[in-house]
Amino acid sequence: MEEDKTMPEDYLWAFFMSHHSIYMQRALELAQKARGRTSPNPMVGAVIVREGKIIGEGYHERAGMPHAEVVAIQQAQNHTAGADLYVTLEPCCHWGRMPPCTEAIIEAGIARVFMAMQDPDPRVSGKGKEQLIAQGIEVVEGIAEAEARRINEFYCKYIQTGQPFVILKAAMSLDGKIATASGESQWITSPASRERVHRLRDEVDAILVGIGTVLADDPALTTRIPGGHDALRIIVDSRARLPLSARVCRLDSHVPTLLATTELASPSKLKQLESSGVQVLLLPESMGHVDIRALMRTLGHREITSVLVEGGSTIHAAILTSRVVDKIMLFVAPKLVGGDSAPGPIGGVGIQNLSDAIEVADLQIEPVGKDWLFTGYVS
């Protein structure tokens, strides 16, 4: 009996995908060159291939600048007829700050478009793909989709909910302490971990802390990365206890500060803070505290797509209780602090039953200097 040499359909698909994933991986690398610079737009990378050779590459550098597909087409210099385009996100088909990329692709004579994922923006979602297919361009979707979605997790959350993606970051000892019983907290983790945090600050739109952190540490909340950008500084302070002498209030600072407060604050103190350059945002109060959900909705209206929470145990509890956290990043140092009164990363009253515990999914653990970084997503 002659052997059936026909390859299974799933094997053929796997071979097809692996062949094209090489170019898609390059597009993903290009996209991430603009990490922290494209908000409120997504990071997008594009590669044009003709006869097995890359003839054009591009990435979206920042909002208001040409999109990745257009940059790659321009680099290919009129050699795009019949070529393949690999792009990390569905090409846009509407006018925004820039013209539609679908029109540029059609005019360039691209034969096939390989896109990692569909754009969640309802103005584009599926429509860009349909427009290309209607013009006879073959479209293949799904190569490295999970990776493409992950690098644009800020954008995806913002577009789908109108609210920023929230990262809760904490640094603690091996026994779960963020400070000693006397309040000393600098520095629990290693220089390598602190450098990693500054790189994270460089990637987000805003950094949020509670007033307790400002009163205890007087942080600048800026990034130390050379050439890095400083995010909006948000201080959650329901009664406007923020000192005018705090580093986040200095008039000579080029970094904006937003005070999220309530009507419990003194109007005269708010005027003084505004005179020092602080932006004051009055929000509803909930049991004497700033309504965190209202804050996140307001930040979304202001096109803030990502927030890094770097406060103490009190603000961490408030953020988690409000159910706005998307991701946690816990830096754990190989140190034992001890002490019943030494604080942990999450304060408040806590939960009564383990069945109410917040689940963390897709947990990743990696070494950072002498420390360990635990990263996961809140279910």
Side-chain angles (χ1 to χ4, degrees):
M1 183 175 180
E2 187 177 348
E3 182 182 356
D4 184 2
K5 295 183 180 180
T6 303
M7 286 187 284
E9 186 175 325
D10 57 348
Y11 180 85
L12 286 169
W13 176 247
F15 177 79
F16 175 81
M17 294 289 277
S18 65
H19 173 71
H20 293 286
S21 67
I22 297 171
Y23 299 121
M24 189 62 78
Q25 286 299 319
R26 175 56 183 163
L28 288 164
E29 290 174 7
L30 290 166
Q32 294 178 83
K33 286 188 173 185
R35 184 174 289 278
R37 303 296 182 270
T38 62
S39 181
N41 289 354
M43 292 181 284
V44 183
V47 173
I48 298 176
V49 178
R50 183 175 179 181
E51 297 178 355
K53 181 181 178 181
I54 294 177
I55 60 172
E57 294 184 338
Y59 65 95
H60 180 47
E61 292 188 26
R62 62 180 68 245
M65 295 191 69
H67 291 183
E69 301 94 317
V70 173
V71 176
I73 289 169
Q74 290 173 346
Q75 191 182 99
Q77 296 182 342
N78 300 319
H79 298 296
T80 53
D84 294 336
L85 168 67
Y86 297 81
V87 63
T88 57
L89 186 70
E90 179 180 12
C92 66
C93 55
H94 70 286
W95 277 86
R97 293 182 176 95
M98 290 284 119
C101 289
T102 50
E103 292 183 5
I105 293 168
I106 294 165
E107 290 175 6
I110 297 291
R112 294 190 297 179
V113 173
F114 297 87
M115 65 183 207
M117 62 174 283
Q118 196 171 96
D119 192 333
D121 188 333
R123 296 173 298 177
V124 181
S125 189
K127 301 180 183 70
K129 175 181 176 180
E130 291 171 3
Q131 192 174 104
L132 295 174
I133 292 173
Q135 294 297 318
I137 298 173
E138 181 183 349
V139 179
V140 178
E141 180 184 349
I143 301 176
E145 180 178 358
E147 190 173 350
R149 194 170 297 278
R150 182 60 54 85
I151 70 169
N152 271 318
E153 58 190 6
F154 297 174
Y155 170 76
C156 290
K157 163 78 180 293
Y158 172 70
I159 286 295
Q160 292 171 329
T161 69
Q163 297 185 31
F165 187 93
V166 179
I167 303 170
L168 189 154
K169 164 259 163 186
M172 63 186 185
S173 63
L174 194 59
D175 58 339
K177 307 295 184 180
I178 63 171
T180 65
S182 65
E184 183 183 352
S185 61
Q186 297 180 345
W187 299 100
I188 285 180
T189 51
S190 66
S193 290
R194 297 198 293 275
E195 181 184 359
R196 179 68 171 268
V197 171
H198 282 290
R199 282 194 275 127
L200 185 58
R201 287 181 179 183
D202 179 53
E203 297 172 4
V204 297
D205 290 346
I207 300 169
L208 183 151
V209 300
I211 183 59
T213 296
V214 177
L215 295 176
D217 301 331
D218 191 21
L221 301 179
T222 54
T223 182
R224 311 293 194 273
I225 302 296
H229 98 289
D230 290 312
L232 170 69
R233 301 176 295 194
I234 302 172
I235 314 300
V236 178
D237 180 9
S238 61
R239 289 174 169 79
R241 293 187 291 155
L242 180 62
L244 294 169
S245 60
R247 288 203 281 177
V248 295
C249 296
R250 290 180 181 170
L251 279 170
D252 60 350
S253 175
H254 66 283
V255 188
T257 296
L258 175 69
L259 177 70
T261 190
T262 69
E263 291 184 350
L264 297 173
S266 163
S268 61
K269 179 63 177 296
L270 295 180
K271 287 182 180 179
Q272 289 178 316
L273 288 167
E274 288 181 322
S275 296
S276 71
V278 174
Q279 303 172 31
V280 173
L281 175 62
L282 279 176
L283 292 164
E285 61 97 1
S286 176
M287 299 180 67
H289 302 289
V290 172
D291 186 324
I292 298 297
R293 286 181 174 273
L295 171 59
M296 293 303 161
R297 288 194 294 269
T298 303
L299 294 177
H301 293 325
R302 296 187 176 200
E303 293 191 330
I304 300 296
T305 66
S306 55
V307 175
L308 173 64
V309 180
E310 284 201 67
S313 59
T314 301
I315 193 66
H316 289 172
I319 293 286
L320 284 167
T321 302
S322 299
R323 300 286 178 172
V324 298
V325 176
D326 298 289
K327 185 177 185 177
I328 62 162
M329 298 182 72
L330 301 180
F331 293 85
V332 180
K335 299 175 182 177
L336 299 174
V337 173
D340 290 338
S341 59
I346 305 170
V349 297
I351 60 170
Q352 298 300 312
N353 303 301
L354 283 175
S355 59
D356 297 325
I358 297 172
E359 298 284 346
V360 178
D362 197 15
L363 189 65
Q364 304 289 320
I365 305 171
E366 62 176 295
V368 181
K370 296 180 179 180
D371 308 323
W372 292 90
L373 171 58
F374 290 72
T375 303
Y377 292 84
V378 176
S379 300

